[in-house]
């Protein structure tokens, strides 16, 4: 279960530096310090074992953080363990020299965290543009009753009124609706509510998918889902107010059959495998749907009680190409085989029940189109959800995972590609790599004087491994502090026992066994760094190649939009330091959150946006990087920190020069 | 079970008149004589009881017709009973004076039978016009296989080729087809056959309803059905050659629940009644379908064996509005209640399986649109099938049953109405009326000298009653011979014991009990004649009223097209004599047979015609006669034989004058 919570924020001032940071209530002091660019020695990741992270709370309230090791005097003096104390009000916190850096060494060494600004689309945006018209809408009609002078058929009366009053000139009845029509018309004196599914093409037909006697136009609800390889998220929306009534997420039940799309495809190729995969994802959707229905209460419509399943008229779904295939029961076999041909990229509207989704027969499922086998509907949805397709700025949209999907362009043109970064960013192929689960080192800083670490773990648990964002922080920090060379090798003889020779070249011990939540030292070695460099090189080369295809240079990129889970944790300075992202001003980097879900939500709310999707997909040119010599060249050129060509990273070059000026 | 057989024909010469007629092998001599306008005394209808119909076969061969009553000399001299002898070669047959008319009385008294010329549309007509393009067609495609340089999705490849080579620019895949697409493409090296269901509107989309690996374009079959209240007829056609491979008909299984549409509607209004009616008609269709599949062998396609159900891509159905409602499971309740509002007149394409029709899931059912509650898809199909919608002649199209449906117009305009003629033409409300079943008197002539009858029965069986065409023949003959007055009353004192006073005014004994196949005399009385006059008056008034609506007179009608079972038996002279049809030259009268089936067949074969149907329906203005004062006036004016205004029937006036000049 994964949920988003909005929280109160508090202002924290760290002394003696005076650096200030605004953080959410419940954040640990150590994380708040990291946000502020303050180093606190802390190698045990919050288990309170190492006892190195003592701080003094001078003003304000914190919870927890007490240790048996503290003297009574220390306790009364406001001493707390930074790793276990959480913030519950505005506060002033002093970091003693013993826990942090010696005076004078502060500042340049530990950069502030720059995370991308969250980009949020709002229903008001749609309303202002006059495009808040859902693809499936309920319309209340007062039909003139038949008479001897006007005995047009029931269906004709409805069509006539829709044409003359609602500008719906091409309306088709579903058979099921025709079967209900006579009774519905006469249930409330020829006042009916029809559910009208509009066409994706202005020339197309509108389908009446449901009919009810009386006025039910105020009771119209929709769903938007992101079908991720790992997680599935859904929102339930009121199609009249535009309000999100509930949101929920769960792990994709297919996870038991492998973590990545390739393993899912292999399962689907087996006998009954496709049906199994289809059923599993449908089950996940249904489970989320139940929770959404359980959570949601309608607002401002005067009706008591909850929302009925029968009142849901439509569901918009976005997922990568493999997930889309599995959801629809399409054979994904060729997605994993050159030349990587999916069954389809475009999809007609489908009955939700045909996908095993537990909705009424009348509910329409609208599925986001893909571009290719590895640039899926989730990316298209992200391009829509981020507003990239409407900006004039030359924008890089990037979703980093095992595969990185890259889109470059603006309102005029769009090019895209997927590149296989390997699993390094998800902790795969790294000696002590792991997913961003409890105990994963997710952030890091280094005491430049002692080279002692500050490990920040997910959930403040004893460290058990390192996840993608932690790896990025560790390598960027090593590189900036001169611990690692541009080639990715450790500098020798740095005078710390944490760097030693291991089985895979030199390694740095992030956590000693006795402070770890596992039975061994947690290290990062030169092979890990090499794997990381390969991954970031593939992505950077991909971006460079795409940009080159349209006759531009990577330095022409004016805006970066990050999507996906990794994008939310990524530190922008780190990413540019190692050469994962092109160097752009931090304020020109946006984080779109779950871009796929946002795009799905937007086209669930606006048929105009749904129509734009078709245009965007037509416009988007896809490149197969592995087939391009230029990509190979760029890949090799990117095989350094940050790049062979330092002029592409002027800020890094400057900082390196400063750090190494004493060398 | 009802079937159509084509037969050899023979030329028969009747002596002494020398009148010649060409008839089918197996026809009885008495029927052949009637065709030739020869009267033979015959009151027992073929049972051989009355022994009055002796004839002499002078040349040629007949079968049967021998009687125990004949002497050896008679037998050897070629004597036969005309009612039981059937024709098996060209022949010369002499009618002795004892069996027929006395010399000199021949000719004027017994008119030749004028039946409407059969109008047959042919596949060549469609081919010549370049419109032999079925709505659902199989197309074989050689798809360029994907490569690294061109890895468009499978579906995109198909759509691209259909657009570039087949002018199909708006193609949509059904989900089921997408699910088969990958395998199908790779089954025969990217050669596939798609089944393409074209839109009824030029702007619409084509749906791919099926896909097969390899070239199966030569195996494409369709069905056309007429869903009648009494009988259901179907044909199986090869959609490539246009050939009709099989045809079959059965009584509508709903018959057990009432003979007319009103009783069916009443049943459908009961609990589960509609589902029952739906199931029954689907069962009938399925039963005919089985027989069609059993009969049909494909021609000229090199494939051995029969046609598989899976090879049927589409079915076009036409029926009256009530039958259409019951077939589709639409509530027919308001069809029988003023202001007579059907649920719908237009219908979208439907999955045949959704109607319970035993066809593959991919098969499309195309249902003919109706005009109103009482001018149904069968009439629209007839207007199409008869070619009426393309002629320049001002045409009356009429289908006579319990309700007579009337269409007047040409290629420019069309008006229509239904009028309730009552069941007289189907034998209902007539003392000894019956359907055209075995033993029904279906034709008749009168010996003008003796007023003895010549009763011709269905199947040459002993008479048990009189059916619609028989009633028409009897009343027209009575009127022409002066036996019945223009008011419909028998003339008194005609000197025959066959006319007597009965319980319902005067009556004529068609068959004495001892010669009948039933336990009583078979009579026709003045109330029967009155009922008949009411029925024909309603129809004639309907025609007059419709014509008046467009500013014309009934005498402007240039062509008459008869449809329905009654139309095939109707004698044109009789119909014009009694004032049922307006007076038009016989060669301007066409019989369209089962116009509904022909129309269904035509639009099954030609999407152009299917598109024309929509135009025709839009063009056709429907009038509710019962609401119109003019119709009431016309109805009263038509309440005579043939009409109060004899000038409308100049030929009848002339003949009456001749017959009665001795009065």
């Amino acid at each position: 279960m994964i949920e988003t919570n909005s929280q109160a924020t508090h202002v924290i001032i760290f002394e003696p530096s005076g650096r200030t940071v605004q953080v959410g209530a419940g954040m640990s002091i150590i994380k708040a310090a990291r946000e502020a660019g303050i180093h606190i020695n802390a190698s045990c990741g919050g288990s309170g074992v190492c006892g190195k992270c003592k701080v003094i709370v001078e003003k304000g309230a914190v919870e927890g953080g007490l240790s048996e090791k503290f003297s009574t005097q220390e306790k009364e003096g406001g001493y707390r363990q930074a790793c276990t104390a959480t913030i519950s009000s505005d506060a002033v916190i002093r970091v003693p020299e013993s826990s942090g850096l010696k005076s004078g060494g502060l500042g340049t060494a530990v950069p502030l965290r720059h995370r991308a600004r969250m980009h949020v689309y709002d229903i008001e945006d749609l309303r202002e543009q006059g495009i808040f018209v859902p693809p499936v809408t309920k319309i209340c009609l007062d039909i003139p009753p038949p008479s001897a002078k006007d005995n047009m058929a029931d269906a004709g009366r409805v069509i006539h009124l829709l044409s003359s009053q609602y500008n719906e000139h091409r309306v088709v009845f579903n058979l099921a609706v025709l079967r209900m029509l006579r009774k519905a018309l006469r249930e409330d004196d020829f006042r009916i509510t029809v559910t009208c599914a509009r066409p994706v093409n202005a020339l197309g037909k509108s389908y009446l998918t449901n009919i009810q006697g009386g006025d039910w136009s105020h009771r119209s609800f929709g769903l938007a889902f992101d079908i991720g390889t790992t997680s599935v998220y859904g929102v339930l929306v009121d199609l009249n107010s535009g309000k999100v009534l509930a949101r929920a997420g769960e792990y994709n039940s297919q996870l038991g059959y492998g973590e990545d799309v390739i393993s899912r495809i292999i399962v689907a190729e087996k006998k009954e495998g496709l049906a199994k995969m289809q059923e599993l994802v449908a089950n996940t959707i249904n489970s989320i749907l139940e929770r959404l229905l359980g959570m949601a209460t309608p607002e401002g419509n005067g009706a008591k009680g909850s929302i009925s399943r029968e009142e849901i008229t439509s569901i918009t779904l976005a997922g990568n190409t493999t997930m889309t295939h599995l959801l629809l029961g399409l054979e994904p076999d060729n997605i994993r085989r050159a030349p990587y041909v999916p069954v389809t990229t475009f999809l007609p509207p489908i009955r939700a029940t045909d996908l095993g989704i537990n909705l009424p027969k009348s509910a329409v499922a609208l599925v986001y189109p893909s571009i290719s086998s590895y640039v899926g509907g989730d990316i298209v949805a992200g391009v829509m959800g981020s507003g990239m397709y409407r900006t004039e700025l030359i924008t890089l949209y990037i979703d980093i995972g095992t595969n990185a999907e890259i889109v470059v362009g603006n309102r005029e043109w769009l090019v895209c590609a997927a590149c296989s970064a390997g699993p390094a960013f998800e902790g795969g192929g790294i000696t002590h790599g792991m997913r961003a689960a409890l105990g994963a080192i997710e952030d890091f800083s280094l005491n430049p004087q002692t080279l002692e670490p500050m490990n920040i773990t997910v959930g403040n648990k004893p460290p058990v491994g390192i996840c993608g964002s932690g790896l990025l922080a560790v390598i960027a920090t090593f590189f900036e502090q001169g611990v690692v060379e541009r080639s990715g090798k450790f500098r020798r003889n740095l005078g710390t026992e944490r760097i030693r020779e291991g089985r895979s070249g030199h390694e740095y011990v992030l956590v000693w066994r006795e402070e770890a939540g596992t039975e061994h030292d947690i290290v990062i070695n030169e092979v890990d760094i090499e794997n990381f460099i390969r991954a970031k090189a593939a992505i950077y080369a991909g971006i460079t190649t795409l940009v080159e295809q349209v006759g531009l240079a990577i330095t022409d990129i004016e805006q970066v939009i990050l999507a996906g889970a990794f994008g939310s944790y990524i530190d922008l300075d780190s990413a540019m330091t190692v050469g994962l992202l092109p160097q752009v001003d931090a304020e020109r980097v946006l984080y779109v959150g779950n871009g796929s879900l946002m795009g799905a939500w937007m086209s669930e709310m606006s048929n105009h946006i749904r129509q734009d999707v078709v245009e965007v997909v037509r416009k988007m040119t896809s490149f197969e990087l592995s087939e391009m010599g230029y990509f190979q060249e760029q890949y090799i050129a990117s095989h350094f920190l940050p790049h062979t060509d330092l002029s592409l990273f002027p800020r890094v070059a400057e900082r390196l020069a400063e750090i190494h000026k004493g060398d």
Side-chain angles (χ1 to χ4, degrees), chain A residues 138-191:
Chain A
K138 284 191 178 178
I139 303 173
C140 176
L141 300 171
D142 282 306
I143 307 285
S147 64
K149 295 241 158 127
D150 166 20
N151 65 352
M152 195 191 287
D154 287 344
R157 316 186 83 73
V158 174
I159 286 170
H160 189 75
L161 200 68
L162 281 168
S163 175
S164 63
Q165 292 194 12
Y166 292 87
N167 214 27
E168 291 285 348
H169 302 298
R170 303 190 65 210
V171 173
V172 179
F173 277 89
N174 281 1
L175 180 59
V177 176
L178 282 175
R179 286 177 173 168
M180 298 186 284
L181 180 55
R182 190 195 69 89
K183 272 208 189 72
L185 272 173
R186 288 154 182 90
E187 207 170 275
D188 188 14
D189 203 17
F190 288 85
R191 168 170 293 179

Side-chain angles (χ1 to χ4, degrees), chain A residues 392-556:
Chain A
E392 284 175 10
L393 299 174
I394 296 172
T395 301
L396 163 66
Y397 180 98
I398 185 163
D399 187 331
I400 298 173
T402 302
N403 282 286
E405 293 96 357
I406 305 166
V407 187
V408 179
N410 60 12
R411 62 192 298 170
E412 303 295 333
W413 53 272
L414 292 161
V415 288
C416 65
C419 60
S420 178
F425 296 120
E426 289 173 346
I430 304 298
T431 310
H432 295 136
M434 64 181 290
R435 285 191 172 274
L438 286 178
I441 296 170
E442 60 171 342
D443 205 349
F444 177 84
S445 86
L446 195 67
N447 186 324
Q449 295 151 350
T450 62
L451 299 188
E452 280 301 296
M454 168 172 169
N455 292 316
I456 294 181
T457 60
V458 175
N460 292 339
K461 298 293 173 195
V464 289
I466 184 163
C467 69
S469 62
L471 187 67
L472 172 62
V474 166
I475 293 173
T477 303
F478 283 173
F479 177 51
E480 282 197 326
Q481 305 278 7
V483 174
V484 156
E485 313 256 4
R486 287 183 63 197
S487 64
K489 302 294 177 197
F490 282 103
R491 286 177 81 181
R492 311 304 192 219
N493 310 319
L494 284 173
T496 169
E497 58 177 352
R498 287 196 180 257
I499 298 180
R500 67 190 185 192
E501 211 173 328
R503 273 186 242 169
S504 302
H506 276 59
E507 62 189 24
Y508 175 95
V509 182
L510 288 161
V511 189
W512 301 110
R513 187 169 65 85
E514 44 277 21
E515 293 171 352
T518 178
E519 294 300 304
H520 54 73
D521 295 345
I522 298 171
V523 306
I524 184 155
N525 62 41
E526 288 175 343
V527 171
D528 295 338
I529 297 171
E530 168 63 17
N531 283 339
F532 175 86
I533 290 176
R534 277 202 202 117
K536 74 94 193 168
I539 291 170
Y540 194 84
I543 301 168
T544 313
T545 308
L546 270 187
V547 167
E548 197 269 349
Q549 288 298 317
V550 288
L552 296 175
I554 201 161
T555 46
D556 292 322

Side-chain angles (χ1 to χ4, degrees), chain A residues 540-585:
Chain A
Y540 194 84
I543 301 168
T544 313
T545 308
L546 270 187
V547 167
E548 197 269 349
Q549 288 298 317
V550 288
L552 296 175
I554 201 161
T555 46
D556 292 322
I557 290 172
E558 298 171 302
Q559 180 176 248
V560 176
I561 297 176
L562 300 173
F566 191 62
S568 72
Y569 298 111
I570 206 171
D571 172 59
L572 300 180
D573 284 317
S574 299
M576 294 176 200
T577 298
V578 299
L580 168 61
L581 292 181
Q583 195 176 299
V584 170
D585 285 345

Side-chain angles (χ1 to χ4, degrees), chain A residues 56-341:
Chain A
I56 305 152
V57 179
E58 294 188 342
K59 268 194 195 167
V62 302
E63 284 174 19
L66 290 168
S67 163
E68 290 173 4
K69 293 173 189 166
F70 289 164
S71 64
T72 313
Q73 197 185 357
E74 280 179 328
K75 286 180 191 167
E76 285 170 0
Y79 273 77
R80 294 290 184 278
Q81 284 194 329
C83 64
T84 55
T86 58
I87 283 154
S88 55
S89 76
D90 291 355
V92 175
I93 294 168
R94 177 169 300 275
V95 184
E97 223 171 67
S98 60
S99 300
L101 302 177
K102 294 195 182 79
S103 309
L106 193 111
T108 54
V110 184
L112 279 168
R113 280 292 176 245
H114 286 112
R115 289 213 175 70
R117 279 184 300 125
M118 181 70 191
H119 170 91
V120 181
Y121 236 107
D122 197 79
I123 192 69
E124 294 310 322
D125 294 326
L126 304 184
R127 225 190 288 267
E128 270 165 32
Q129 294 167 57
I131 59 172
F132 174 28
V133 182
V136 183
T137 327
K138 284 191 178 178
I139 303 173
C140 176
L141 300 171
D142 282 306
I143 307 285
S147 64
K149 295 241 158 127
D150 166 20
N151 65 352
M152 195 191 287
D154 287 344
R157 316 186 83 73
V158 174
I159 286 170
H160 189 75
L161 200 68
L162 281 168
S163 175
S164 63
Q165 292 194 12
Y166 292 87
N167 214 27
E168 291 285 348
H169 302 298
R170 303 190 65 210
V171 173
V172 179
F173 277 89
N174 281 1
L175 180 59
V177 176
L178 282 175
R179 286 177 173 168
M180 298 186 284
L181 180 55
R182 190 195 69 89
K183 272 208 189 72
L185 272 173
R186 288 154 182 90
E187 207 170 275
D188 188 14
D189 203 17
F190 288 85
R191 168 170 293 179
I192 55 167
T193 302
V194 293
T195 306
C196 181
R198 296 200 170 79
V200 73
N201 183 300
L203 289 175
K205 291 174 184 168
S206 291
Y207 283 82
L208 299 188
T209 58
N210 200 9
I211 190 166
Q212 296 164 281
D215 181 2
W216 294 95
S217 57
H218 57 290
R219 301 284 300 178
S220 181
F221 304 96
L223 297 164
F225 268 75
D226 160 48
I227 312 297
T229 311
T230 306
S231 309
V232 177
Y233 296 86
V235 293
L236 172 61
V237 289
D238 182 328
L239 295 179
N240 281 293
S241 68
K243 280 185 187 154
V244 173
L245 301 178
R247 61 182 79 220
E250 289 186 13
Y251 287 115
N252 187 332
S253 303
Q254 294 172 344
L255 259 185
Y257 291 82
E259 298 213 338
D260 55 25
V261 297
I262 301 300
S263 45
R264 308 281 173 84
I265 294 173
I266 291 169
V267 174
E269 285 170 359
K270 292 180 185 156
K271 198 168 140 59
E272 307 298 331
L274 178 54
K276 183 73 198 164
M277 291 292 103
Q278 204 287 324
E279 192 190 337
L280 285 172
V281 68
N283 288 349
T284 304
I285 294 170
N286 286 333
S287 168
I288 294 171
L289 171 56
E290 292 311 312
R291 289 175 48 219
L292 292 173
L293 286 173
M295 284 179 215
T297 47
E299 290 170 42
N301 54 33
K304 258 193 174 174
S306 57
I307 291 164
S308 132
R309 187 190 313 282
E310 301 299 317
E311 295 175 305
I312 295 177
T313 59
S314 56
I315 176 170
T316 299
L317 303 117
N320 65 45
T321 309
T322 301
M323 287 304 114
T324 302
H325 274 57
L326 297 180
L327 172 65
L328 290 162
L330 306 178
E331 296 177 317
D333 309 39
N334 293 321
I335 290 178
R336 72 178 183 102
R337 292 187 177 85
Y340 314 111
V341 178

Side-chain angles (χ1 to χ4, degrees), chain A residues 600-618:
Chain A
W601 171 79
M602 281 172 63
S603 56
E604 175 70 16
M605 302 306 287
S606 167
N607 202 43
H608 291 79
I609 291 180
R610 180 173 163 237
Q611 292 174 349
D612 287 344
V613 173
V614 179
E615 282 314 299
V616 165
V617 167
R618 291 228 173 90

